[in-house]
Amino acid sequence: MSDATPSSDTLNDFASEPVAARRVVVLISGSGSNLQALIDEQTHDRLGGEIVAVISNEPDAYGLTRAREAGIDAVALPHREYDSREAYDGALIKVIERHEPDLIVLAGFMRILTPRFVQRFLGRMLNIHPSLLPAYQGLNTHARALADGVAMHGCSVHFVTEELDGGPVVIQAAVDVAEGETEASLKEKVHAREHLIYPIAVKWFLEGRLRFSAEGATLDSTPLPPRGVRLSHADAAEELDEN
């Protein structure tokens, strides 16, 4: 009987396999500025996972160029080639599932999703919306906020459900509406905040901290309030190094 200790090679044989990076598919329709914010975080190993594909319903979307330049699979799936919303979403499901994602991220994907699509990916699909939800669901949020004379506006990341812009909110960032604010200036400020909070929400999900349930969103097993985690104007301005 030998009392020799096992060699390091033998020990290495029993080493656990490295955990594969969690996989993200991003859906876009346009320039993909929020996609770029996610790519930038991934480049610096701060995203918590890997963007494995970017899919656009608009074949000329600049976001596809951003994906290609980052070495990410870029897929054009034009919706106009399909006879119905249901047919398109069926094809989109097949393309997405080929990439086996843990998370689907909507980054300016300008289509209303069918119930079939939402239910297929329920609990693992995030969207960003340019308002402090539940205020200003739908389109033209900046113009509507200015018309109402609100003092505070912002953006929200939320889980996608069948209710348009109505899923559980994860995180928001507020912006004070300045005197003389224009739609263009307000949009620019909100965009900066979108690029700040979307990578945070994605990382929380990929790290297993953020979860979806019938009762709403939880972070570190604690239920989030209806507005999620909210960054004040001052908090966001400090993070963005705004003057």
Side-chain angles (χ1 to χ4, degrees):
M1 177 176 175
S2 171
D3 59 357
T5 57
S7 70
S8 59
D9 289 341
T10 303
L11 290 176
N12 288 338
D13 289 342
F14 292 96
S16 59
E17 292 292 325
V19 178
R22 303 197 77 189
R23 299 167 64 84
V24 181
V25 167
V26 182
L27 306 185
I28 63 166
S29 295
S31 70
S33 64
N34 273 304
L35 165 65
Q36 188 63 56
L38 297 172
I39 290 173
D40 291 346
E41 290 298 292
Q42 176 176 298
T43 300
H44 293 93
D45 283 332
R46 293 194 299 250
L47 192 63
E50 178 185 3
I51 302 169
V52 294
V54 174
I55 305 170
S56 177
N57 64 304
E58 296 287 357
D60 296 329
Y62 182 64
L64 292 174
T65 299
R66 295 182 191 269
R68 294 186 192 103
E69 289 178 349
I72 299 168
D73 190 12
V75 182
L77 189 69
H79 64 273
R80 296 175 184 84
E81 296 181 2
Y82 293 83
D83 294 335
S84 67
R85 193 176 299 276
E86 288 73 18
Y88 180 78
D89 279 10
L92 183 57
I93 287 170
K94 291 179 181 178
V95 174
I96 291 172
E97 291 191 335
R98 280 206 298 267
H99 292 90
E100 301 180 335
D102 298 286
L103 177 66
I104 295 93
V105 173
L106 308 185
F109 188 61
M110 303 304 291
R111 288 185 59 80
I112 296 175
L113 301 168
T114 59
R116 174 193 176 195
F117 186 94
V118 173
Q119 289 301 319
R120 178 65 64 99
F121 301 114
L122 187 66
R124 52 191 180 108
M125 184 159 51
L126 294 173
N127 183 47
I128 192 154
H129 184 75
S131 78
L132 296 175
L133 292 171
Y136 304 114
Q137 296 168 313
L139 300 175
N140 303 315
T141 61
H142 310 310
R144 289 157 62 195
L146 288 172
D148 287 345
V150 300
M152 186 170 63
H153 190 45
C155 54
S156 309
V157 178
H158 65 95
F159 279 106
V160 177
T161 64
E162 290 186 36
E163 179 185 355
L164 180 65
D165 301 326
V169 175
V170 174
I171 185 171
Q172 298 182 325
V175 58
D176 293 341
V177 180
E179 186 175 351
E181 195 86 72
T182 66
E183 186 175 348
S185 65
L186 186 57
K187 180 179 180 179
E188 182 179 355
K189 292 176 184 177
V190 171
H191 263 167
R193 282 154 176 78
E194 290 179 12
H195 303 160
L196 173 65
I197 67 172
Y198 215 176
I200 292 172
V202 168
K203 184 176 182 180
W204 283 348
F205 185 92
L206 296 177
E207 291 178 340
R209 299 178 59 195
L210 175 65
R211 297 181 182 276
F212 173 91
S213 73
E215 289 72 39
T218 63
L219 181 64
D220 297 332
S221 302
T222 300
L224 289 171
R227 69 180 191 178
V229 175
R230 178 179 288 182
L231 297 183
S232 69
H233 175 94
D235 290 339
E238 182 177 356
E239 291 292 331
L240 294 166
D241 198 24
E242 292 179 344
N243 293 327

